[in-house]
Amino acid sequence: MAKSWERIKSELAEPFSSEDVEWRLQNVSKDKTRGLAVAYVTARAIQNRLDEVVGPENWQDEYISWHGGSTLKEASQLCVIRIFDKEKNFWISKTDGAENTDIEPVKGGLSDAYKRAAVKWGIGRYLYDMEAAWVDVDPNYPKVIPNKELPKLKKIHDAHVKKLKEEQPHASSSKEMPAALQSAQKPSASKPLPQYVVRKTEKHRFSHVVHQVIDLEQENGDVITVFLSDVNQEVKPGIILQNVKIGAHEGKQDAKKIFYTLDEYQIAA
């Protein structure tokens, strides 16, 4: 019997051991003696998690160059991670992107996009709720976290995971979904996710990639335009989408311009 999607989402969202978590500096103080460290899951740990939860034959990743610039550093990458739904016999995908990095631009952009797409599946999402960690840094190497600070960061991570487990009120009575992570994975019974009616859909090509541009009417009558990276012919005017999750993103050239992506949805029966 195939795993239920509730179980898959639960297992994907499980916290990692501190050995699978690495840290980088997001900001450095003006005097370059202190830095704000943020945690992320390694690409290898993400691959292992997908292999363990759904099997290596039931997931795939694809990379697309996006918003190409005049130089490698100005370009961006999109990563699509797909998981096969055995019951419905089709692939379900989630997409996110990242700009190329300063060092090894393309490789860095692909890696960051992969990690962000994994978060869409719940992998490592718990790290976003972890407290900020300031560490001492060497002014001569302001982009590197000193080894002496790593035990402190490990304790912060482990304390966060411990807190998550303590917040699970009935962890032993449910094998399908850790209670502490349910709010990040599905709506509560008292507040379901809204439904949307598809009013208009068009195909547009952006940087050699075809996207589906969709106008969705909300329950209050407002209309929002969203982008879908994988064109779905079944998403057409008049149908109803449920369990919808929409992502908001800053524009590459103008951060004040926000665009929206259709990250998750189901077509109502």
Side-chain angles (χ1 to χ4, degrees):
M1 180 179 177
K3 289 183 181 179
S4 69
W5 274 104
E6 291 301 314
R7 183 177 175 186
I8 290 174
K9 289 188 291 184
S10 171
E11 293 181 359
L12 290 176
E14 278 293 314
F16 287 85
S17 68
S18 54
E19 287 73 20
D20 291 323
V21 175
E22 294 186 352
W23 299 77
R24 63 177 178 83
L25 292 176
Q26 186 176 60
N27 293 304
V28 178
S29 61
K30 291 183 179 180
D31 61 3
K32 297 182 180 181
T33 62
R34 298 277 288 168
L36 182 62
V38 294
Y40 64 92
V41 181
T42 66
R44 186 179 300 276
I46 294 170
Q47 295 165 11
N48 290 339
R49 175 62 57 87
L50 287 165
D51 285 349
E52 292 167 0
V53 174
V54 301
E57 73 280 9
N58 292 317
W59 73 274
Q60 58 183 221
D61 51 342
E62 177 185 0
Y63 300 90
I64 305 166
S65 181
W66 184 48
H67 289 319
S70 57
T71 66
L72 283 177
K73 291 183 180 180
E74 294 175 347
S76 301
Q77 309 294 334
L78 284 177
C79 176
V80 184
I81 296 180
R82 299 184 179 90
I83 295 179
F84 190 69
D85 187 322
K86 294 183 179 179
E87 293 185 358
K88 297 181 180 179
N89 197 35
F90 66 76
W91 293 89
I92 299 175
S93 63
K94 298 186 187 295
T95 306
D96 209 331
E99 295 182 351
N100 285 351
T101 55
D102 293 334
I103 301 174
E104 295 185 290
V106 176
K107 181 179 178 181
L110 294 173
S111 178
D112 286 351
Y114 176 68
K115 293 167 187 174
R116 291 184 180 184
V119 172
K120 293 287 185 70
W121 282 104
I123 302 174
R125 189 182 295 174
Y126 73 99
L127 295 175
Y128 283 64
D129 299 323
M130 194 160 57
E131 67 177 85
W134 284 93
V135 296
D136 294 330
V137 298
D138 186 340
N140 296 317
Y141 304 96
K143 295 184 178 181
V144 179
I145 298 176
N147 288 334
K148 67 177 183 178
E149 296 289 338
L150 297 181
K152 167 186 172 181
L153 297 175
K154 179 180 183 298
K155 288 182 179 180
I156 291 175
H157 172 267
D158 291 347
H160 180 61
V161 172
K162 181 179 179 181
K163 182 179 178 181
L164 285 178
K165 293 181 178 180
E166 290 175 346
E167 290 175 352
Q168 297 176 14
H170 303 292
S172 61
S173 63
S174 175
K175 297 183 180 179
E176 286 293 298
M177 189 67 168
L181 300 176
Q182 284 185 3
S183 60
Q185 300 297 319
K186 66 178 182 179
S188 64
S190 60
K191 190 177 180 180
L193 289 174
Q195 293 185 340
Y196 295 81
V197 179
V198 177
R199 291 305 182 196
K200 182 181 178 181
T201 176
E202 297 178 346
K203 295 179 183 178
H204 281 280
R205 183 178 295 274
F206 300 96
S207 299
H208 308 294
V209 179
V210 177
H211 294 259
Q212 195 167 359
V213 184
I214 306 167
D215 285 349
L216 297 178
E217 183 178 334
Q218 305 174 67
E219 293 175 341
N220 62 4
D222 292 342
V223 175
I224 182 173
T225 299
V226 299
F227 294 83
L228 182 62
S229 58
D230 290 339
V231 176
N232 186 345
Q233 301 294 343
E234 296 183 3
V235 177
K236 51 189 177 182
I239 71 166
I240 296 175
L241 301 183
Q242 60 187 15
N243 295 329
V244 170
K245 289 187 179 180
I246 295 174
H249 309 269
E250 295 180 351
K252 180 176 176 63
Q253 302 299 331
D254 186 354
K256 294 182 179 180
K257 292 184 178 180
I258 305 297
F259 68 94
Y260 301 95
T261 54
L262 184 58
D263 296 336
E264 297 183 28
Y265 66 94
Q266 290 181 342
I267 297 176

